[in-house]
Amino acid sequence: MKFASRVATTMQSGLDELFTAPDPELISFAGGYPDATMFPQAALQGAFAQATEESAAFQYGDSWGLPRLRRHIAQWLQKDGIPATAQDVLLTQGAQQGIDLAAKMLLNPGDGLVVEAPTYLGALAAFNAYEPQYYEVPMAADGMDLGALQKILMTHKIKMIYTVPDFQNPTGAVMSLAKRKALIALANQYDVIILEDGPYRWLRYQGESLPPLKHFDTQGRVIFLGSMSKILAPSLRLGWMVAAPKLLEAAAALRGASDVESSQLVHRAVALYLEQNDFDAHLDQLRQCYGAKLKLMHHAISAQLPAGYQLSQPAGGFFLWLTAPAGVDMTALQAQRLAPAHVSVVPSKNLTPSHQLLNGARLTFAAPPTAKIEPGSARLTAALAATATAQAHRA
Amino acid sequence: MKFASRVATTMQSGLDELFTAPDPELISFAGGYPDATMFPQAALQGAFAQATEESAAFQYGDSWGLPRLRRHIAQWLQKDGIPATAQDVLLTQGAQQGIDLAAKMLLNPGDGLVVEAPTYLGALAAFNAYEPQYYEVPMAADGMDLGALQKILMTHKIKMIYTVPDFQNPTGAVMSLAKRKALIALANQYDVIILEDGPYRWLRYQGESLPPLKHFDTQGRVIFLGSMSKILAPSLRLGWMVAAPKLLEAAAALRGASDVESSQLVHRAVALYLEQNDFDAHLDQLRQCYGAKLKLMHHAISAQLPAGYQLSQPAGGFFLWLTAPAGVDMTALQAQRLAPAHVSVVPSKNLTPSHQLLNGARLTFAAPPTAKIEPGSARLTAALAATATAQAHRA
């Protein structure tokens, strides 16, 4: 028995490492989990109680998703600068399925795929199954390096560019307005599809939101993905794809073939939740909670950060990005220093397809309980300082 | 913009035709829906009420599925002749995702894949995305033609055999005990994986159950798929895969990359349902209901069936199989005679990869309300009789 060739790369993605159950002593800054105390549990429980009143809610539904929920999502996206109607919205099993479907419909083995370096681990895991030829574009504080991108576009045939323009996973960077417009222009010029992954864009804690790339899309070449996982609850497994009709029809056909549909029972419950609650007020509460946690963690770490280390200062999202001095391998440091100190981060090694970026790490302030942020930060900075001292002694 | 090559075949699978919303005047014998009046709505509502009491139920879970539910499924499967423990069970988004994952992990483009002819439409849709080389094995009343299979195995490299041994979709046939053992022997001899799809095996209305193929698997080459869609409720989107550890780990990795995980909230609700209710008694009720509907429909159709037509006599499952005289194209007949008479079936054309089988049709007795079975059967047989008369006049 031989596996298909796509299995080998998928098994090496490191996605499972991120989702293993944490050791109880550990303070984890690793997994990108939302804060469970912020879930509107009572309101969702009420919505599920209503949704389960009808036998019809337990029947098969529609592989595009519940029409009523597609309408709600479309209306909500319109306020965010995406001119979508219900039929432009395909509901997916989380945004992860949207990434998988976009890759499945567009990538033959060897097709050119641009990713930000570093990028979202789970996206690489999804892409790996379609065996693309990867091209990495370095991240800057204002989004991906468009000069580097243009060089790639001039010399290689690229099918798709994957980007997280808002509070990027893992760096927390926001793509500037100028870069958004320039990226669309490049995609138009070189006939490339942009896969815009936006799970964090509604979690801005300071400053003004920028329109999504999809807002500037005049040629139907931006596929926009969103998700309720970070802003309502992950176990709803509710994401959405907004794209041109031809793309969306192909994605829906592949989706039906993959797993038929999402649960219309869950769709009914989310629709009821949105109809009977003030979702904007809920988002404001999330922003206050996560904004305070970001501030706390940024302060706790930066106050004790050893020389040579740099910490990002994001305006939203879930993640801080730590850059160690060149030559430091964060994977080794995690195993040798952080794990024994009962603190964990996501080392950068698995966050690029080439596994060449070694001295970075993603830290989430969203998941850990507020009371664990300062102790965890102290463990982290103490471990980094001990490493720096040991290295200085050896030098 | 060009789609990946896998899109073209997927778009032609005809899966969407099966899941379109029915016209209100129509009596549909087409879609393989369970009878919504048989869902244990109150018990499931209670389980969801309990499951949603905890905030933790709304958090990310485990890409393998809720451990507690994996245990329940394993224990239940043990009673059915599958020696599985919790770690042998991967929970999937319906059995459809199990089909997709098996294909994804095993099939490179051009790899040999044996399917029964006719077979389940949705399986072909899933397989198409991995661009296999199909080989069709004709169905007989006691399961697939093993002589035909052996000829294929002797002359072609086959990676996987897809079979629905119990109350096959679409023919309703049950593979005999002798054929089950012989199929395992052939798979062992030719080093082939068997994908055993068992969504109907717990719905037998007469006679004795035969052990699943997985029961006879001594070399870890049977992947068994099951589902709650036909025996509890489709919108739970709950299926499972039982396979050797190496296969299951690859499937779980691909699953995480595809859509991370299923909803642990739903898993908790199903676990609570199984703990607090008599599932075997529920299954007995289903068997009584569906057994009576089968009897009613079989009688209604066979009493009025024109000469030259044959109707199967299944002992379980969801489907009757209608064979028209050679030369009759059921797709055309459906469009020209059945649709105008407001009755629908699934013509056989899309139920083989070659689209060569034209004179068959799948009819479900499970989905239509009992009161619609006789009127729908009358519409069907009248339309068939009118066709036969018209053909006789032309001859």
Side-chain angles (χ1 to χ4, degrees), chain A residues 1-7 10-11 15 19 32-34 36 39 41 44-45 48-49 52-55 57-61 93 96-97 100 103-109 125-126 129-130 159 191 193 229-230 233-235 237 246-247 249-250 253-254 256-266, chain B residues 1-7 10-11 15 19 32-34 36 39 41 44-45 48-49 52-55 57-61 93 96-97 100 103-109 125-126 129-130 159 191 193 229-230 233-235 237 246-247 249-250 253-254 256-266:
Chain A
M1 196 281 303
K2 251 185 77 179
F3 285 120
S5 58
R6 64 181 74 83
V7 170
T10 305
M11 297 293 280
L15 187 68
F19 281 89
Y33 289 62
F39 298 148
Q41 175 267 330
L44 286 170
Q45 186 177 31
F48 271 93
T52 50
E53 266 167 21
E54 278 182 79
S55 266
F58 292 98
Q59 187 55 283
Y60 284 110
Q93 191 72 2
Q96 183 71 29
Q97 189 178 45
D100 179 71
K104 198 170 187 176
M105 76 173 150
L106 289 165
L107 299 178
N108 282 319
Y130 304 99
K159 197 75 170 276
D191 187 20
I193 295 287
S229 291
K230 312 306 186 208
S235 77
R237 308 303 307 121
K246 193 181 158 197
L247 291 166
E249 276 157 30
L254 288 171
S258 297
D259 64 355
V260 184
E261 62 191 29
S262 290
S263 169
Q264 66 138 326
L265 165 60
V266 175
Chain B
M1 195 280 302
K2 251 185 76 178
F3 285 119
S5 58
R6 66 181 70 86
V7 170
T10 306
M11 298 293 279
L15 187 68
F19 281 90
Y33 289 63
F39 299 148
Q41 175 267 331
L44 286 170
Q45 185 177 32
F48 271 94
T52 49
E53 265 168 20
E54 279 182 77
S55 267
F58 293 98
Q59 187 55 282
Y60 285 111
Q93 192 71 4
Q96 183 71 28
Q97 190 179 44
D100 179 72
K104 198 170 186 176
M105 76 173 152
L106 289 166
L107 299 178
N108 282 320
Y130 304 100
K159 198 75 169 279
D191 187 20
I193 295 287
S229 291
K230 312 306 186 209
S235 77
R237 308 303 308 120
K246 193 182 158 197
L247 290 166
E249 276 158 30
L254 288 171
S258 296
D259 64 355
V260 183
E261 63 191 29
S262 290
S263 169
Q264 66 138 326
L265 164 61
V266 175

Side-chain angles (χ1 to χ4, degrees), chain A residues 10-43:
Chain A
T10 305
M11 297 293 280
Q12 293 157 5
S13 66
L15 187 68
D16 49 341
E17 295 168 26
L18 197 63
F19 281 89
T20 47
D23 149 25
E25 281 189 69
L26 187 73
I27 297 179
S28 172
F29 297 153
Y33 289 62
D35 185 334
T37 65
M38 297 303 292
F39 298 148
Q41 175 267 330

Side-chain angles (χ1 to χ4, degrees), chain B residues 228-361:
Chain B
M228 284 294 186
S229 291
K230 312 306 186 209
I231 56 177
L232 190 55
S235 77
L236 302 170
R237 308 303 308 120
L238 178 60
W240 49 87
M241 177 186 284
V242 179
K246 193 182 158 197
L247 290 166
L248 215 55
E249 276 158 30
L254 288 171
R255 196 269 148 89
S258 296
D259 64 355
V260 183
E261 63 191 29
S262 290
S263 169
Q264 66 138 326
L265 164 61
V266 175
H267 286 184
R268 283 172 187 235
V270 177
L272 287 163
Y273 167 82
L274 293 174
E275 289 157 15
Q276 298 172 357
N277 294 275
D278 186 343
F279 188 50
D280 287 332
H282 167 69
L283 289 175
D284 280 339
Q285 287 180 324
L286 287 186
R287 289 179 197 118
Q288 278 180 28
C289 165
Y290 290 137
K293 288 174 110 173
L294 162 57
K295 203 170 161 187
L296 186 66
M297 187 150 150
H298 190 274
H299 181 78
I301 294 176
S302 51
Q304 301 292 331
L305 202 60
Y309 283 83
Q310 290 183 315
L311 188 66
S312 68
Q313 191 147 23
F318 268 25
F319 305 115
L320 290 162
W321 182 250
L322 181 70
T323 307
V328 172
D329 177 350
M330 283 301 298
T331 304
L333 199 148
Q334 158 105 313
Q336 291 155 18
R337 299 279 176 173
L338 304 188
H342 299 293
V343 64
S344 67
V345 300
V346 176
S348 55
K349 185 181 173 187
N350 291 326
L351 306 184
T352 67
S354 65
H355 304 283
Q356 299 285 308
L357 182 67
L358 298 179
N359 67 327

